[in-house]
Structures are given as structure tokens and as C-alpha cells.
Amino acid sequence: MEHEQSRRLGKRRRKRCVILIVIVVLIVIVIIAVVLGLTLRQNRSEFESTFLSRCEKFNQYDCKKVWGAFQQAYVNKDPCKVPVEAYDPLIAAALFKPQCNRMMFWSKTKDVVHGFTEKRDCFVTLEDTLLGSVLDGLTWCGKEGSKDTFTNGCPGWSDCENNTVRSFWIRASAAFADVACGDVTAMLNGSINTPFNPTSIFASVEVPRFIASRVKNLNVVMVIQKNNISNCTDPSLKNLTQTLDTGITFSCKDVSESRIQECGAKPEIACGACW
């Protein structure tokens, strides 16, 4: 009899232990889910906050409207199935304004270009415009079945053709090139084998959109560094001249990176005298 009671008590204890373990596991799962949910919401709010705070530095734009136009391009979509035209409403919400004789394009020279334009008000790059400035350096994507914006787990630039970030920059670059006018400047990299690379956005998207009725000249600044392997005589520039719309004149000048940095640091040097 005592043995039977002891056996029943043992079963009850084991049952209680199992129930307690299940309860503890469920509590842990709930805590993890809540923490992850809060973290994801925080990341999303941080992205939106960054977008809006950058946007608000520009006047004459309804940043909430721009944010809405931006989100519609990729929210609730496969991040590898966001075509370039998905950003058309965004471009329409923040149209690029032509700035004749001041527009600067670049290829593989981002740091040099922006190191210069941040100090001198001589040229305007895509990254100086509202959309370029707002999204420069950011990563974002959506997911099917979700209304959220994600900053982690998004495809990289070359992971798929129509990914969220790549499609934006192609569309924005096209719109920026569409308003190019007067004398246009481009900085190319003399430290690579093919300064005018046909696969680059500059070559494949921007240059074909320079129209002779708006663009008079394309002036290339070939950035020369110590490890320079190319200059203005590079064969790829012949392809550039052949790509240009008939009627647009072309010039190229080799300029050392140190000279560009000097011009950036010395505002007394006239912009036209930098190269």
C-alpha cells in the first residue's frame, strides 16, 4: 500500500515537473518573440526616422508623401522582383531639378567626388539631391505578405538583377541624367583598367541619356593617383565618345587626386581653375 502511494506521488511530481518545464519553455518563447518583435519595429522606425530626418533638410517637399511613394515601390514584394519602373511614383514625388553647368557624374570615384563637393559649392551630384541624399548608404527591402520595411536579410547589389536597392539607383541615375544640361562634368578613375566601363551605371544608364539639345559638352576629369594605370588616352574613352549623342563635344583632362583635394580645401581657388 505504501509502495503504491509512493508510486502515485512520484507520477504526480514528474507530471508537475513536465508541466513546469513546458510553462517555462513557453514563457521563454514568448519573451524571445516579444524582444525580436520590438527589435524589428525599432529597426524599421529607425530607418523611417533616418529617411524623414534627411528629407526634412530639403525645403519645398512633403516628406510624408515622399516616404509613401518610396514604400509603395517595394513593400509586400519579393526583394528580387522590384523592377526599375516601380520607383516611378517616387521620382514623380521628388522631381530632379536641372542645374545647368553644375551637374557632376562619377564612376568608381565616389569618395574623391564627394570629398570635393562637400567642401565646395561648384557641382551637384546625385547624392546631393533629395532622393540621393536620403538613401545614400542605406539598405532596405520588403517581403511578400508584410507591410514592413526591412534593413537586414536584403539581397546585395549583384545577388539578383531587380533587387530593391539596385533598381532604385538605376532609376534615380536615369532621372538625374535626364535633366543634365549645359556643360556636364564626370570624374572617372585612372586607377582601373577600364575607366569607362560599359557595365557601369554611368556608361549604361547616364551617358545614353545626355541629349545634344540640352547638353553642350561632357568634360571628363580623369583622377590620377600614385597607382595610376589609365589616363585620358585610354581606349575605353573612344567608346565613350562614340556613345555620346551627336552634337555633344567631349574633353578629358588628367588631374591628380592631390590637386582635387587642394581645390576642396582652398575656397580661394576658383572652381574653373581646379582643372
Side-chain angles (χ1 to χ4, degrees), residues 139-200:
T139 297
W140 68 92
C141 65
K143 292 183 180 179
E144 289 182 307
S146 173
K147 296 181 179 180
D148 297 324
T149 295
F150 299 90
T151 57
N152 296 313
C154 300
W157 184 270
S158 301
D159 289 342
C160 50
E161 184 176 357
N162 288 325
N163 71 69
T164 316
V165 175
R166 180 174 179 170
S167 288
F168 164 76
W169 286 110
I170 290 176
R171 183 64 186 90
S173 297
F176 188 62
D178 281 339
V179 298
C181 52
D183 291 334
V184 172
T185 305
M187 278 196 190
L188 303 184
N189 193 335
S191 298
I192 59 178
N193 288 320
T194 311
F196 183 68
N197 190 318
T199 64
S200 68

Side-chain angles (χ1 to χ4, degrees), residues 96 103-109 124-127 157 168-181 184-188 196-211 214-215 218 240 243-245 248:
F96 289 98
M103 299 180 73
M104 169 75 79
F105 296 81
W106 55 269
S107 183
K108 301 295 184 181
T109 54
V124 175
T125 69
L126 172 58
E127 292 75 21
W157 184 270
F168 164 76
W169 286 110
I170 290 176
R171 183 64 186 90
S173 297
F176 188 62
D178 281 339
V179 298
C181 52
V184 172
T185 305
M187 278 196 190
L188 303 184
F196 183 68
N197 190 318
T199 64
S200 68
I201 287 182
F202 177 63
S204 62
V205 175
E206 294 170 335
V207 172
R209 291 177 177 268
F210 296 160
I211 306 302
R214 291 184 287 102
V215 177
L218 174 60
L240 171 52
T243 304
L244 279 177
D245 191 22
I248 299 177

Side-chain angles (χ1 to χ4, degrees), residues 256-270:
S256 67
E257 183 176 353
S258 60
R259 174 58 178 172
I260 297 171
Q261 292 172 342
E262 180 185 18
C263 282
K266 296 181 178 180
E268 63 272 18
I269 300 176

Side-chain angles (χ1 to χ4, degrees), residues 16-139:
R16 288 173 183 170
C17 286
V18 170
I19 292 173
L20 285 173
I21 291 171
V22 170
I23 291 173
V24 169
V25 170
L26 288 174
I27 290 173
V28 170
I29 291 173
V30 170
I31 291 173
I32 291 174
V34 170
V35 170
L36 286 175
L38 290 174
T39 301
L40 287 173
R41 279 196 289 272
Q42 183 179 16
N43 286 339
R44 291 193 292 272
S45 65
E46 285 178 357
F47 182 91
E48 182 177 356
S49 176
T50 299
F51 185 103
L52 293 176
S53 64
R54 290 183 178 184
C55 176
E56 287 163 2
K57 294 178 182 179
F58 294 79
N59 296 324
Q60 301 176 344
Y61 288 98
D62 183 342
C63 290
K64 287 289 186 181
K65 180 181 178 181
V66 175
W67 168 254
F70 170 66
Q71 278 195 307
Q72 65 77 40
Y74 62 87
V75 164
N76 194 26
K77 295 180 182 179
D78 184 324
C80 279
K81 295 181 180 179
V82 179
V84 171
E85 56 270 20
Y87 287 101
D88 285 352
L90 175 62
I91 300 299
L95 290 172
F96 289 98
K97 300 175 182 178
Q99 300 199 47
C100 298
N101 307 318
R102 299 185 66 235
M103 299 180 73
M104 169 75 79
F105 296 81
W106 55 269
S107 183
K108 301 295 184 181
T109 54
K110 182 177 181 179
D111 291 342
V112 178
V113 169
H114 292 131
F116 178 78
T117 58
E118 285 171 5
K119 298 173 183 176
R120 300 293 304 273
D121 188 29
C122 302
F123 298 98
V124 175
T125 69
L126 172 58
E127 292 75 21
D128 296 317
T129 65
L130 183 143
L131 293 181
S133 176
V134 164
L135 293 168
D136 187 27
L138 299 184
T139 297

Side-chain angles (χ1 to χ4, degrees), residues 223-240:
V223 181
I224 304 298
Q225 299 170 322
K226 291 181 179 179
N227 59 341
N228 190 68
I229 57 177
S230 301
N231 55 36
C232 285
T233 64
D234 189 87
S236 68
L237 295 187
K238 183 177 181 180
N239 296 331
L240 171 52

